[in-house]
Amino acid sequence: MSASLEAYRFETVRFDLSLSENPFPPLPSVMRALDDSLAKANRYPEFLPRALPRIIADHIGVDPDQVVVGSGATGVAMQIMQTLPAPGARFVFATPTFDGYPIMSGMVGLRSHPVALDSSGRQDLWAMARAVDQNTGLVAVCRPHNPTGTVVPASELKAFLYSVPATVPVILDEAYIEFLGATDTLDTVELVRRHPNVLVLRTFSKAYGLAGLRIGYAFGAPELVRRVHRLQLPFGTPSAAVAAVTASYAAEAELGERILRITTERELLRTALRRNGIRVPRSSANFLYLPGREVAPALARAGIVAKRYPDGSARIAVGDPTAGRAVLKALAARPATGARPLRRDDSRVLSLTVRSEPSVVRAPHR
């Protein structure tokens, strides 16, 4: 591809809403802590992380040996997939979901077994339970779900976990947990105590706005975490991560204000989109799922990069009012029936929206 064409592709992108990123920089107090940590950037971090798991464990109320950290939630999920299920085992998850799951499943030699969402965009836990058999080595449940933002009720999740054999590890993916409403929260510390096969997966990429630092973790029973620890990368956790997490936990009030800002914009945008005839599910995350075969092409024509799905639906990050207005304008002008054929210029932008397969621009991150 010529340099001029490559430059054109990126100049035509007005907003990149594809990776459910936080539109705001790290919190001010976290920025100051990061600045201070850079003064020691000439020194190696801990050979194997001890400080970061201890800080996280103290915050959530578990023992340090119950926490494993890694390069974002994606990195920790990869460690889980490489260590817990046997090679060739089945990996059961909903579809569509975080695209890292089917991609990494193929990378480590697991056999993906996707289960379709129900008509409301929720994970069909009973269909997933029926899919678990003697060949299943791993299960993943997202709460809130990616990409629809829907939330399985706590009672259904608990019943589902009782139905899964205790020998089958379950990832409870809580990448967007900070955006969850108070009435939908559950005691995950008690959950992993009752279900030693459950690993709760979380990240600092979303609400905390630290996607570029790649900080993720999982917690669960010590025996399970110990197995995942076997693939802990030496010197793999930067010292800046310790500073960032410490400062983030000390900035709960700032974080709450930012989350409120993002979720308020999410609800305003969802209401406006539904008034325009788009049946957007209620989301408990920092993104919205926009169903409809004309949606992704219409966004692409407006220079808005979204995570696109094979049926033309899209997922967009929320929080930036300017981007939200651009989305509304783009979709208000979409064809009422059937999208027109894409022009050559449209296809260059549309190529950037293909996020349901390995990205042509950036690899999937959590």
Side-chain angles (χ1 to χ4, degrees), residues 97-112:
T97 190
F98 166 52
D99 56 2
Y101 286 140
I103 293 170
M104 292 189 293
S105 179
M107 291 171 63
V108 303
L110 299 179
R111 292 185 295 117
S112 294

Side-chain angles (χ1 to χ4, degrees), residues 15-39:
F15 301 99
D16 186 345
L17 309 180
S18 61
L19 292 177
S20 63
E21 293 160 321
N22 193 317
F24 305 110
L27 297 167
S29 58
V30 177
M31 290 281 279
R32 291 191 293 272
L34 287 172
D35 287 343
D36 292 341
S37 72
L38 290 179

Side-chain angles (χ1 to χ4, degrees), residues 100-125:
Y101 286 140
I103 293 170
M104 292 189 293
S105 179
M107 291 171 63
V108 303
L110 299 179
R111 292 185 295 117
S112 294
H113 187 92
V115 177
L117 302 178
D118 66 19
S119 59
S120 301
R122 298 197 318 170
Q123 295 156 105
D124 189 339
L125 294 188

